[in-house]
Amino acid sequence: PRARGRRPAEQREQATSTCGEGSRVGGSGSGSGSVSGSVSGSVSVSVSVSVSVSVSASDSGSVGDMLGCMRAMLLDSPAPAETHPLRLADVPVPEPGPDEVLIRVHACGVCRTDLHVVEGDLEARRSPIIPGHQVVGVVEALGSAVEERVLGERVGVAWLHRTCGCCSFCASGRENLCDAPDFTGWSVHGGFAERLVAPARFTYPLPDGFSDLQAAPLLCAGIIGYRCLDKTGITAWSGARLGLYGFGAAGHVAIQIARARGAEVYVCTRDREKHQTLAEELGASWTGGSVEQPPVALDASIIFAPAGEIVPPALSHLDKGGTLVLGGIHMSPIPELQYELLYRERVVRSVANNTREDGHAFLKEAAAVPVRTHCETFALEDANLALERLKHDAIRGAAVLTL
């Protein structure tokens, strides 16, 4: 069973639709809001939009009809990032279901998971698909049953789009392992677009201290990094020795949380010019190559790089009883392990997705630190370039699309 208001994906907005100039503009609705603009540079038009009251898909004069079309980057079929497989298109504005909100996107982070979706490392769940799952925007319309959000509120949307709410995992506080989840930008359309819809209960109010640009990388890289820190098993953080393998968006947020808790952080990453330098700026106790041995035995480590070959050396760098956390959704094959690497109660564990509790707790702690993200910005139509640069470790910090 799905949560109330769930509609089958095939009944939702169809990204394959083509919006002709001026199509789907019109409809009727109550309220005093209006949208105006120009067509062909000389004709002024104004349409009434019901944005001051809650709306639902059954209302006369739908939100999509009133707002018309939007720009989005579509993936028709997976392909290498170097081939620039995303295409810019005009698509109908999606309509919120009863429990959903329509969000006007201001910024969307570009994550390595997006790269896995685009290149097919993750099996295609929908085609075409609009990627993107680190979304910052404002609520533009409310579904008829929404009570958690208000119009004009700034919110974030993360990877976990919706859960069933009734499987054994959801019932036991482990909704990240839900049997029937949806994921933003993979099974449902994401934030590489001017608007998207999301269940209100799966959106996050954002602390005022973060700009839209600063907030975007927090919504996946930040939240997943936070969950990885939790799964290290470290409880006494002051003086703890933490290793980080890979130092992109997640790593550069996780080091700030760990350092604020009092840990020493040792960073292994292959890029000296960008990643090792940024790690040193953020307070790393030591930096070295991707499999270089740190100068001390580590209490725990996190591998953010999607490289299975790092697992054996990272295990060898752990102290007795240490935990190695694998933080990615996809990883290349892990080589055969010698039992000696696991002996003395060392542990290897993965992290899968996040819970909403993770998100809320992380954003609170990130605001208190405060975490500051380092971002490289791209226009929506340059999403292919952002993905290509991300693939080749050419981003210092995080990549963010701004709209």
Side-chain angles (χ1 to χ4, degrees):
R2 295 288 191 176
R4 181 185 177 192
R6 180 70 175 155
R7 290 178 290 158
E10 62 269 17
Q11 294 179 9
R12 299 170 70 88
E13 74 282 8
Q14 297 298 314
T16 53
S17 300
T18 300
C19 292
E21 183 173 331
S23 67
R24 298 197 57 169
V25 177
S28 61
S30 60
S32 57
S34 65
V35 172
S36 61
S38 62
V39 179
S40 301
S42 61
V43 182
S44 177
V45 296
S46 178
V47 294
S48 176
V49 181
S50 179
V51 295
S52 61
V53 296
S54 298
V55 297
S56 72
S58 62
D59 289 339
S60 175
S62 68
V63 173
D65 284 338
M66 290 183 283
L67 294 181
C69 298
M70 66 178 189
R71 297 185 307 145
M73 295 297 288
L74 299 178
L75 176 70
D76 294 307
S77 59
E82 293 86 352
T83 67
H84 291 195
L86 299 180
R87 61 180 174 88
L88 182 65
D90 288 331
V91 300
V93 172
E95 297 176 15
D99 68 338
E100 296 176 329
V101 292
L102 175 68
I103 298 167
R104 177 67 170 91
V105 179
H106 288 174
C108 185
V110 181
C111 177
R112 189 164 289 275
T113 301
D114 297 317
L115 183 61
H116 293 318
V117 170
V118 168
E119 295 203 315
D121 296 322
L122 299 180
E123 183 179 358
R125 294 284 188 91
R126 180 174 183 172
S127 180
I129 185 70
I130 301 172
H133 59 275
Q134 301 182 102
V135 189
V136 177
V138 295
V139 176
E140 204 168 52
L142 307 172
S144 59
V146 172
E147 298 179 351
E148 300 88 348
R149 298 287 171 257
V150 297
L151 293 169
E153 183 178 6
R154 190 175 73 136
V155 296
V157 179
W159 172 245
L160 189 65
H161 180 87
R162 187 191 291 272
T163 58
C164 71
C166 59
C167 70
S168 62
F169 296 102
C170 288
S172 59
R174 296 176 291 167
E175 65 180 8
N176 60 304
L177 301 176
C178 174
D179 285 336
D182 269 329
F183 297 105
T184 312
W186 186 24
S187 60
V188 298
H189 290 318
F192 287 10
E194 292 177 328
R195 292 177 175 86
L196 85 161
V197 293
R201 294 180 299 108
F202 284 80
T203 61
Y204 299 89
L206 298 174
D208 292 336
F210 298 119
S211 67
D212 295 343
L213 180 63
Q214 287 275 320
L218 302 179
L219 291 162
C220 180
I223 295 175
I224 288 298
Y226 181 85
R227 186 171 181 86
C228 289
L229 291 171
D230 179 66
K231 297 305 178 184
T232 61
I234 296 174
T235 54
W237 281 93
S238 181
R241 301 182 301 271
L242 175 72
L244 299 180
Y245 294 81
F247 202 75
H252 98 287
V253 173
I255 190 176
Q256 296 180 62
I257 296 291
R259 292 268 296 124
R261 294 176 179 179
E264 300 173 4
V265 182
Y266 299 79
V267 175
C268 297
T269 181
R270 64 187 180 185
D271 180 88
R272 172 63 194 171
E273 180 182 353
K274 296 181 178 66
H275 298 166
Q276 289 186 27
T277 300
L278 179 57
E280 291 165 359
E281 291 174 6
L282 293 173
S285 298
W286 172 90
T287 62
S290 57
V291 295
E292 189 174 343
Q293 183 166 354
V296 298
L298 303 172
D299 297 313
S301 293
I302 303 169
I303 297 180
F304 290 119
E309 64 270 19
I310 295 177
V311 172
L315 265 174
S316 73
H317 302 160
L318 288 178
D319 205 347
K320 292 175 287 186
T323 297
L324 178 62
V325 179
L326 311 182
I329 193 172
H330 170 80
M331 179 175 271
S332 61
I334 298 173
E336 180 179 347
L337 295 176
Q338 298 298 317
Y339 179 64
E340 179 63 23
L341 294 177
L342 286 171
Y343 186 57
R344 297 184 178 87
E345 300 190 351
R346 297 183 183 93
V347 174
V348 179
R349 66 173 306 159
S350 67
V351 163
N353 313 314
N354 66 276
T355 66
R356 283 170 286 176
E357 182 180 357
D358 293 331
H360 291 296
F362 165 66
L363 289 170
K364 181 178 180 180
E365 186 169 351
V369 169
V371 167
R372 287 292 176 257
T373 52
H374 295 248
C375 302
E376 184 174 341
T377 61
F378 298 82
L380 175 64
E381 57 268 26
D382 292 329
N384 283 307
L385 176 61
L387 288 165
E388 185 178 2
R389 287 176 56 80
L390 177 65
K391 180 177 180 178
H392 295 287
D393 294 330
I395 303 294
R396 189 177 190 269
V400 180
L401 305 183
T402 56
L403 290 85

